[in-house]
Amino acid sequence: MEIATKPLEATTTTSNMATATPITVAYGDGIGPEIMTATLKILKAAGARIKIEEIAIGEKVYLGGNSSGIGNEAWDSLRRTRVFLKAPITTPQGGGYKSLNVTTRKVLGLYANVRPCVSYHPYVHTKHPIMDVVIVRENEEDLYAGIEHQQTDEVIQCLKLISKPGTEKIIRYAFEYARAYGRKKVTCFTKDNIMKMTDGLFHKTFDRIGEEYPELEKEHWIVDIGAAKLAETPEVFDVIVMPNLYGDILSDVAAQITGSVGLAGSANIGDGFAMFEAIHGSAPRIAGMDKANPSGLILAAVQMLVHIKQSDIAAKIHNAWLRTIEDGVHTSDVYNDSVSKTKVGTQAFAEAVIERLGQAPLQFPKADYSNGDKHFDIKISETVPAVRELVGVDIFLQHKDRNPDALAALLKDIESSGLQLKMITNRGTKVWPNGFPETFCTDHWRCRFTREPQQGVSYQAVVDLMQKIHHRKLEIIKTENLYLMDGAPAYTAAQGQ
Ligand code: NAD
């Protein structure tokens, strides 16, 4: 499977391998060291022209007091090599540790996460013999902004951020990828029936940009039924582009239904940086047991070799790997009595691939990367600033009394330059005026103040309003300005409004 990227600047070294490309390697946590050892063994045996800079990241770095799990020396290496082969890492639970994977993807601008999920029927047991889906996952935003706040005793918030440039980049990338690799269809998954503005932007951008690719079939699915369809009949999909969270979840599902989550590799692509990894995690339960399937990382390394313009070695390894699978040499995650012949551990699997270097698969199509790496010049449109008019404010309060009418009574006579209480919601559902007594209310209230008829107000009016609310001894925990943008409301109505 080829992966499209921007070309790298040529990097050479004066070491004993004059043409070797420096790459940064991290052995990771859990099964990481085992699958990395297996993968590097194969790269070496195949004659990959690489010069490895090893960095320490992950659990040890976290527990050593660095809450990002990666130190300055590691960043320096990544800046030097711009190519990262990374084993999975364990993010310690709680304790304020930020996911290193998410940090790396965002800091290095790796906006496209390309995850091919392919069935290897009849050699790997699967219910889905005809499956060749490429999931293109947005990699930098969505709920992975990781901006969370406990706002009240009862309610915690996680911000879902979807940007116009971020959306345009990933959707254009998916279409360019489909065009470059002769794919027929691009599907978009969103939940825009509920998240009309954030996922709505993703869907609308897909429709708009899709018009520039008339030769490709295009379709949109609501993510819930789309996920069900993917799990049931993956053969109807080709390239699927999704916001970050859905892509994270559904690429695991897609890989798992090919036979094992351990089979899929991925490329994280940015403008000038690229990171290659298995899609699975550090599988701590089987760590140190020589049981893990190294295939995901091996196939990620194949993607990396194409990226660093060593297509010959990439093909050699991929073909040997396909032959190993065909020969029924399988790790326990894919071992099945009806199709497998030899059950092997991680390192023996690597040895089996090495033994087959130079051989080709007999049944699977031969991997051929002679066309080299494809690179796309992804352009994003200029953001045209909208005419913004402030017309109100949502003021969020912590308030213990669960009775919305009593809260409304406390706020009703507060007025600031025409701003007046228009409605109160609890967890997004309108509870005043005319709420349902059955609606359960938490201690987290949104109080919408607008000026009617909708007219502009100054920010000073909002500040004055907040001061009056504060003087009533009500606890403001957050505010959101309400704008008209180019005359249209830039906020949603409440459920039940
Ligand atoms: P996981 O992917 O590690 O494991 C899920 C299941 O798949 C487990 O049953 C595991 O044994 C199995 N599995 C995974 N890889 C396998 C392989 N190569 N061969 C055979 N079986 C394999 O997911 P998890 O258990 O949810 O997460 C474990 C840790 O990994 C967590 O700390 C998580 O944060 C981390 N994680 C890291 C990455 C990454 O570094 N890119 C990605 C996902 C999860």
Side-chain angles (χ1 to χ4, degrees):
M1 181 62 58
E2 293 172 88
I3 290 299
T5 60
K6 291 200 119 189
L8 285 173
E9 279 173 39
T11 37
T12 53
T13 165
T14 52
S15 76
N16 52 357
M17 287 195 293
T19 54
T21 301
I23 64 164
T24 302
V25 164
Y27 280 74
D29 302 317
I31 58 170
E34 298 159 64
I35 60 172
M36 184 58 84
T37 302
T39 301
L40 292 179
K41 233 189 260 176
I42 297 169
L43 290 182
K44 187 165 177 227
R49 300 173 293 277
I50 52 173
K51 182 171 179 267
I52 291 171
E53 292 190 13
E54 192 188 322
I55 58 169
I57 56 168
E59 217 169 8
K60 280 200 196 104
V61 182
Y62 283 119
L63 300 176
N66 183 329
S67 64
S68 65
I70 177 166
N72 287 338
E73 281 175 20
W75 286 124
D76 289 345
S77 170
L78 289 169
R79 265 191 221 102
R80 257 191 315 274
T81 66
R82 296 171 165 256
V83 182
F84 190 13
L85 182 63
K86 181 185 143 299
I89 60 117
T90 303
T91 309
Q93 295 285 307
Y97 300 112
K98 297 300 273 189
S99 162
L100 162 64
N101 299 312
V102 176
T103 305
T104 315
R105 290 168 189 156
K106 292 204 287 198
V107 169
L108 301 181
L110 307 174
Y111 63 90
N113 193 332
V114 184
R115 303 185 147 192
C117 300
V118 182
S119 283
Y120 300 98
H121 175 80
Y123 302 99
V124 173
H125 179 72
T126 169
K127 291 179 190 149
H128 306 286
I130 311 162
M131 177 172 174
D132 182 1
V133 176
V134 178
I135 292 184
V136 178
R137 164 188 171 192
E138 196 289 316
N139 222 13
E140 293 180 295
E141 45 191 53
D142 193 358
L143 289 157
Y144 291 67
I147 305 176
E148 295 186 292
H149 295 94
Q150 173 143 13
Q151 298 184 319
T152 67
D153 289 332
E154 293 179 339
V155 175
I156 301 170
Q157 172 188 266
C158 177
L159 280 185
K160 172 167 167 127
L161 297 176
I162 301 279
S163 76
K164 281 186 181 175
T167 301
E168 214 173 290
K169 267 202 296 197
I170 193 66
I171 285 170
R172 221 170 252 293
Y173 187 95
F175 278 114
E176 286 293 320
Y177 181 96
R179 179 177 271 175
Y181 291 103
R183 298 276 174 163
K184 301 279 178 285
K185 180 164 83 170
V186 182
T187 304
C188 175
F189 281 5
T190 72
K191 188 76 184 168
D192 68 337
N193 54 331
I194 303 297
M195 285 161 280
K196 295 181 194 308
M197 295 186 68
T198 47
D199 281 24
L201 171 66
F202 204 92
H203 184 175
K204 281 190 203 115
T205 308
F206 176 80
D207 288 347
R208 175 170 61 79
I209 290 178
E211 285 177 12
E212 296 172 36
Y213 299 83
E215 78 279 19
L216 293 170
E217 196 187 327
K218 289 153 290 255
E219 62 178 15
H220 171 268
W221 288 79
I222 299 289
V223 61
D224 38 13
I225 189 62
K229 186 87 179 160
L230 176 66
E232 176 70 16
T233 47
E235 62 275 13
V236 303
F237 294 105
D238 193 347
V239 173
I240 314 180
V241 62
M242 309 182 211
N244 205 341
L245 179 64
Y246 313 143
D248 190 359
I249 297 168
L250 293 181
S251 54
D252 266 33
V253 172
Q256 185 71 32
I257 65 174
T258 68
S260 167
V261 72
L263 286 172
S266 75
N268 297 264
I269 301 298
D271 294 333
F273 278 98
M275 176 169 85
F276 302 87
E277 57 182 344
I279 76 158
H280 57 76
S282 56
R285 268 182 301 218
I286 56 167
M289 298 166 75
D290 192 40
K291 270 178 90 170
N293 187 344
S295 298
L297 192 59
I298 295 169
L299 294 180
V302 167
Q303 296 177 341
M304 179 194 75
L305 289 166
V306 179
H307 177 75
I308 62 173
K309 306 203 183 317
Q310 296 187 27
S311 301
D312 50 339
I313 312 289
K316 193 171 169 185
I317 294 175
H318 199 167
N319 284 319
W321 180 85
L322 287 167
R323 184 62 183 268
T324 309
I325 295 293
E326 277 186 355
D327 285 348
V329 181
H330 294 166
T331 45
S332 56
D333 57 322
V334 290
Y335 189 89
N336 181 289
D337 284 335
S338 61
V339 289
S340 307
K341 296 206 174 86
T342 318
K343 193 189 273 188
V344 288
T346 312
Q347 303 313 320
F349 183 84
E351 294 303 334
V353 174
I354 289 168
E355 276 165 29
R356 288 165 179 78
L357 287 169
Q359 296 183 35
L362 300 174
Q363 300 300 327
F364 293 133
K366 211 174 148 195
D368 177 6
Y369 297 108
S370 53
N371 287 337
D373 197 15
K374 304 268 200 301
H375 62 90
F376 317 131
D377 196 10
I378 303 290
K379 293 215 164 42
I380 50 168
S381 42
E382 285 289 314
T383 302
V384 181
V387 177
R388 287 154 75 91
E389 193 181 0
L390 186 65
V391 293
V393 62
D394 279 347
I395 295 188
F396 292 77
L397 303 174
Q398 168 166 264
H399 189 65
K400 297 292 174 193
D401 181 354
R402 297 192 193 276
N403 179 350
D405 292 330
L407 177 60
L410 292 173
L411 293 166
K412 243 181 100 183
D413 60 335
I414 297 181
E415 191 274 344
S416 172
S417 303
L419 283 175
Q420 284 182 332
L421 183 65
K422 169 93 168 132
M423 95 180 159
I424 300 177
T425 69
N426 198 290
R427 291 185 297 175
T429 303
K430 190 185 74 159
V431 290
W432 182 93
N434 310 320
F436 279 41
E438 292 83 359
T439 307
F440 176 76
C441 292
T442 67
D443 60 355
H444 184 276
W445 306 85
R446 173 181 59 164
C447 308
R448 176 162 287 180
F449 289 81
T450 53
R451 182 169 172 186
E452 300 298 332
Q454 237 174 14
Q455 282 174 326
V457 291
S458 67
Y459 190 66
Q460 187 58 50
V462 171
V463 173
D464 293 343
L465 179 72
M466 287 166 66
Q467 195 148 31
K468 288 178 183 171
I469 293 172
H470 174 67
H471 285 153
R472 294 263 168 108
K473 306 243 180 302
L474 291 164
E475 190 185 349
I476 298 173
I477 47 158
K478 165 194 160 97
T479 66
E480 288 283 354
N481 292 342
L482 304 177
Y483 292 104
L484 296 183
M485 288 205 189
D486 291 334
Y491 50 90
T492 52
Q495 279 142 14
Q497 195 181 7

